[in-house]
Amino acid sequence: LCVFWLVFIFSHASGRSITLVHQTSNIKHYHYFAGLTTYYHPGINLKKVHYDSIKLYERLEAETGQAVGFHQPGSVRIASTAARVDEMKYQMTRTHWHVTPQYLIGPEKVQEYFPLINIDKVLAGLYTPGDGHIDPYSLTMALAAGARMYGAQIYNPAPVTALNPTADGKWDVQTPHGTIRANRIVNATGFWAREVGKMIGFDHPTIPVHHQYVVTATVPEVKALKKEVAVIRDLEGSYYLRQERDGLLFGPYEKMEKMVLQDSWVRDGVPPGFGKELFESDLDRIMEHVEMAMEMVPVLKKADIINIVSGPITYTPDLLPMVGPHQGVRNYWTAIGFGYGVIHAGGIGKFLSDWIVNGEPPYDLIECDPNRYGKWADVPFMCAKARESYGFNNVVGYPKEERFAGRPTIRTSGVYELLKDKASMGFHAGWEQPHWFYKPGDDTGYKPSFRRTNWFGPVGRECRLVMEKVGVIDLTPFGKFVVKGKDSHKLLDRLFANTMPKVGITNISHMLTPTGRVYAEVTITQLAPGEFLLITGSGSELHDLRWIEKEAADGGYDVDISNVTEDIGVLGIAGPNSRKVLQKLTEEDMSDAGFKFLHCKSIKLAGIPVRAIRISYTGELGWELYLDQKNMAAVYKAMMEAGKDDGIDNFGTYAMSSLRLEKGFRGWGLSSHDASLNYKQPELTLFVSVCVQPADFIGKAALQQIKAKGLKRKLSYITLDTDDIDPEGNETVWHNGKVVGNTTSGAYSYSSQQSLAFAYLPVELCSVGQKVEVELLGRKYPAMVIQEPLVLTEPTRTRLQKKAKGKA
């Protein structure tokens, strides 16, 4: 599936077929693409997309008979600062357990792959064999030829004039060639994506940016080369450069104050018939980068520029594409916002095809889920973020990265104004949420690093606060849904691998895919008979809602599903003094006997209605308080006042992550892959639920088969002997000089004063006491499998204390 097309997939009586409807009059006009291909991507999942694309392109000519102009001289990313070298070590750490080869090389080796380079400023390079470039037009023609070979019908030109959903979830697609009935549609229309989305009421947050590249005339030194040089990417100069016949081609990424957005297309739409036109080039905008390129590749100083090409590349706010089915409408999929260009085409086509055919994604790509954006991603935000992303194309990619353009959005919690100047804020699905809080004498502000940085000490302080006194945290970004109606219990029994809780009770449940992988982790509370409150992570709000709505629609369940995320604020309170603080504000019995763990009650705090759930992601005594957004500030102030003598204070998500990890809590989502679509679910809790849950939930049969066959890999709990660095997740695990697995999440345990992580390992290496090594920034640190958890949860500690007293 080529990303330049709007793709319709539908069925005839004779079998499955595909119709490709092209949106523009002449696909030859895509000549402004530089056509770069690379295995490299900083994201662990998008590496798979790149890999699948290149493997397709390598065999496409033989399969279709169409030449694709594929060059694979390899590529080198240039490091000319110490931070860049660390970044490359960081990426090497995350790539050893992938299939793609990648090597950290020295300056001499860089010069071997690119003899024309000035290595005076080169400290290191990241070399990827098999990288290169491809002719986009030839690739498009080959993909079209291959599609026809397998029965596809291609109409060109065929502008889509309307998209009309049918009652049974299909689509009538109106074109000049007539109306096409489709089971599902995939919007893959590039810079027309917003216009196609608007036909059905969506404002997709995509915007074209002006990207320029420069082509030189013949360069004698290039012509004299015996073989094509590797593509280089000078990260400090913010440009790519490759050989183009006997000359050179290089494309800079301009700084955000200079780059140009084609925002008129957002306001007024793409000009009719646009395709062959290019934008007017502007050498002055890129002159700074040209000069840096000349310093790095001196032959450019004498080279004649024969062409400056400027064309549109579509960006999303975070530079990642929007791929998959869209929430809010049935059988509408997107494959849009491909700022990386042609390297995504083949891999995304395979990803979507596998998902459509098999009914679930082939692997986790939640960072590209189209449902990560909501109505809060408005035009001002989109433009600010696209400008930032383009200008930041080659900035150092630190862990825990934050970018601040366009913030805050319209999504702010009821306590944001009270907290914004006291904390380092993080961006979570449009919300601002405190990562850690400042105290006098702290080194404040966002200061990213590959090692422990200014937040390390304050986070430890917050962990001690929760363990010894009482802390309050803003948890408003949680996704929140209410499911009720005649078939609500029946629907949730089908969706979740757990027995539904009774009224007033809460549990944590998982939605599985048909093959037994975890699609989502959700906290479920039955508020009243047949009425359930579902809580999920901020990054998976619409991702999970879409899955629930699809099952409800496909199964014909009589339910009402409401997304109440915007309406309900959430405050968490945790620590040994949390009960004392709340008891001062309510007449409700907050004792252990009066308010048990995983129970829910409607109470009043300082006279304000609150739905309280005794549960804590920190593993300590705690409650989550769900209340109207407009009442959040009043309840927060009342708790802080009531807790003055009990040592109450704020804590953020960094402390919560450390506390949850040392208690052995698995994480799911963008920040943790302890349980995700990348793995068959190995957790014994889910195996037990197969026996406990009598309903035929999605994935049950697969889970039973996995249990019967046994596991080859398990999630293990490990400690690490480190120095000034801690695991984040996705690092390579070694044993006896071989790669044996990868971490999924990690942090520093302030209670035990050591690093710890979850890691997937072969079963034979999962025994307690097993020694392995975890690679961090190019060094292998000793690690050991331990019995989990490292620190007992408060309910467990309380239970053991009562048991000990009983024996006494």
Side-chain angles (χ1 to χ4, degrees), residues 769-782:
Q770 174 67 55
K771 294 183 178 180
V772 293
E773 294 176 305
V774 176
E775 183 181 350
L776 302 172
L777 285 188
R779 177 181 167 187
K780 297 174 185 175
Y781 289 86

Side-chain angles (χ1 to χ4, degrees), residues 393-615:
N393 237 296
N394 289 316
V395 298
V396 176
Y398 290 102
K400 293 183 169 66
E401 182 180 66
E402 289 291 327
R403 296 186 180 180
F404 296 95
R407 294 169 53 181
T409 72
I410 58 173
R411 272 190 155 181
T412 54
S413 79
V415 293
Y416 171 70
E417 291 297 326
L418 296 175
L419 303 180
K420 66 178 182 179
D421 296 326
K422 300 178 181 180
S424 178
M425 288 288 181
F427 187 75
H428 299 264
W431 300 95
E432 299 290 324
Q433 187 174 28
H435 280 166
W436 62 278
F437 284 85
Y438 309 142
K439 292 293 182 184
D442 286 345
D443 182 9
T444 62
Y446 170 67
K447 297 181 179 178
S449 174
F450 293 101
R451 297 172 174 82
R452 294 171 186 165
T453 183
N454 61 330
W455 51 261
F456 184 77
V459 170
R461 179 177 63 217
E462 292 174 18
C463 287
R464 290 190 294 274
L465 168 76
V466 174
M467 293 289 290
E468 299 171 4
K469 297 178 181 179
V470 54
V472 176
I473 185 171
D474 182 7
L475 298 173
T476 300
F478 283 159
K480 317 165 196 83
F481 321 128
V482 173
V483 179
K484 60 183 178 180
K486 185 181 73 171
D487 293 336
S488 59
H489 204 295
K490 185 178 177 183
L491 169 64
L492 298 182
D493 272 344
R494 174 64 178 159
L495 281 167
F496 290 96
N498 202 351
T499 303
M500 287 301 102
K502 296 178 181 179
V503 173
I505 306 296
T506 298
N507 70 21
I508 297 174
S509 300
H510 295 85
M511 289 193 289
L512 307 184
T513 69
T515 61
R517 296 178 298 155
V518 175
Y519 187 84
E521 181 179 274
V522 179
T523 301
I524 302 177
T525 304
Q526 188 166 187
L527 304 175
E531 182 178 351
F532 297 86
L533 175 66
L534 278 57
I535 307 298
T536 189
S538 59
S540 52
E541 173 195 343
L542 299 181
H543 168 273
D544 295 359
L545 182 60
R546 184 207 66 82
W547 185 270
I548 296 167
E549 289 175 337
K550 180 181 184 301
E551 184 62 27
D554 291 350
Y557 294 93
D558 185 359
V559 292
D560 177 73
I561 303 170
S562 302
N563 184 358
V564 295
T565 300
E566 302 279 357
D567 305 320
I568 299 177
V570 188
L571 290 171
I573 182 169
N577 294 342
S578 58
R579 176 183 284 122
K580 189 188 303 184
V581 171
L582 293 180
Q583 194 66 77
K584 294 177 183 178
L585 300 172
T586 183
E587 296 180 358
E588 186 73 32
D589 182 3
M590 303 300 290
S591 69
D592 193 52
F595 203 142
K596 296 180 179 179
F597 184 58
L598 293 180
H599 278 56
C600 173
K601 290 185 178 182
S602 292
I603 66 174
K604 285 189 176 181
L605 288 179
I608 296 172
V610 172
R611 180 169 281 118
I613 301 176
R614 189 180 161 192
I615 186 174

Side-chain angles (χ1 to χ4, degrees), residues 325-338:
H326 207 287
Q327 186 271 333
V329 63
R330 296 174 68 184
N331 297 318
Y332 172 71
W333 300 55
T334 61
I336 58 179
F338 291 92

